[in-house]
Amino acid sequence: HRTTIHQHHKTTNTNQTINRHTKRRNTHTRGDNTMLKVTIDTREQSRIQSAKAYYEKQGLTVEIAELPIGDYIFTNGNDSVVFELKMIPDFITSIQSGRVFNQSIEMAENYNHNFVIIVGNEAERTKQLAISRSHRPVTIYQYIGAISSLNRYVSLDRKSVV
C-alpha cells in the first residue's frame, strides 16, 4: 500500500514523517530527559500488538488507552503529535458522514501537530469510489476536495474555528 499524510499542503511517506516527529537522538529523549511516549487507541484492534511491539523496539514508552480523538498520539514533554489513520473505505465513509471533517477540527483545536493518514493505492481508491456509487456516491472530485478541506482544518489557529 502507498501511504500518504496530508497536513499543511504536504504529502510525504509515512515512515519519514513518523521518524521525523518521533526520533530525537538514539535514546528518544530530549535534553530535559523527557521520554518519548506513544499512546495507541484501544479501537485500533488490528494494529495494537504490531504497533506496540514496533514502538517498544524503537525505545518508546507505549500506552494503550481509549483516545477521545486520533488513533496515535506521540508525546514528548509538552509537545504532542496526533495521527488519525484512515483506510480508503473508512475515509470514503467518513466523507459521506462528515465525520472526518469533525475529527480534523477537533484535532486542530487540541493539538499543535495533527495529521490524517490515508492508507491505500489508486486502484483501491478507484474500486471504493465505484462501490460508493451504489450507496451514497462520492466522486473523485469530492475525494480530492475532502483532502483539500483537511489541509484547511489542520491549519486552523487553535483559538478560532471557522
Side-chain angles (χ1 to χ4, degrees):
H1 288 290
R2 180 171 176 243
T3 303
T4 56
I5 294 178
H6 298 281
Q7 187 214 26
H8 303 289
H9 307 287
K10 293 179 186 174
T11 303
T12 185
N13 178 287
T14 302
N15 292 336
Q16 291 171 341
T17 299
I18 290 172
N19 289 340
R20 183 177 57 220
H21 286 287
T22 60
K23 288 193 176 177
R24 300 223 198 282
R25 301 186 184 101
N26 291 335
T27 60
H28 299 287
T29 61
R30 292 184 352 186
D32 60 4
N33 292 326
T34 304
M35 227 20 195
L36 183 59
K37 177 178 94 171
V38 60
T39 305
I40 304 170
D41 187 56
T42 56
R43 292 167 290 222
E44 287 294 294
Q45 287 297 317
S46 65
R47 294 180 196 88
I48 287 177
Q49 293 309 313
S50 61
K52 184 176 188 290
Y54 174 80
Y55 291 119
E56 285 176 342
K57 185 178 177 182
Q58 301 300 314
L60 280 71
T61 301
V62 178
E63 180 181 320
I64 310 297
E66 187 169 321
L67 299 173
I69 52 176
D71 294 322
Y72 298 85
I73 299 174
F74 292 83
T75 308
N76 195 347
N78 293 328
D79 198 21
S80 295
V81 179
V82 63
F83 292 90
E84 175 67 33
L85 186 67
K86 297 281 188 197
M87 303 303 285
I88 287 179
D90 184 34
F91 183 62
I92 291 171
T93 301
S94 294
I95 293 169
Q96 292 168 326
S97 69
R99 187 176 76 245
V100 71
F101 307 113
N102 294 332
Q103 288 172 319
S104 295
I105 290 169
E106 273 191 72
M107 289 189 320
E109 288 176 333
N110 291 286
Y111 295 91
N112 287 327
H113 312 287
N114 49 85
F115 297 87
V116 173
I117 304 172
I118 302 166
V119 180
N121 59 40
E122 186 176 345
E124 185 177 4
R125 181 192 68 214
T126 301
K127 176 184 169 190
Q128 292 300 321
L129 288 173
I131 290 171
S132 81
R133 289 190 192 113
S134 64
H135 300 90
R136 292 179 59 196
V138 173
T139 68
I140 187 65
Y141 302 109
Q142 291 168 314
Y143 182 92
I144 293 168
I147 292 171
S148 296
S149 293
L150 293 179
N151 285 329
R152 181 173 47 113
Y153 293 136
V154 297
S155 302
L156 290 175
D157 176 350
R158 293 181 71 201
K159 293 178 182 159
S160 63
V161 178
V162 178

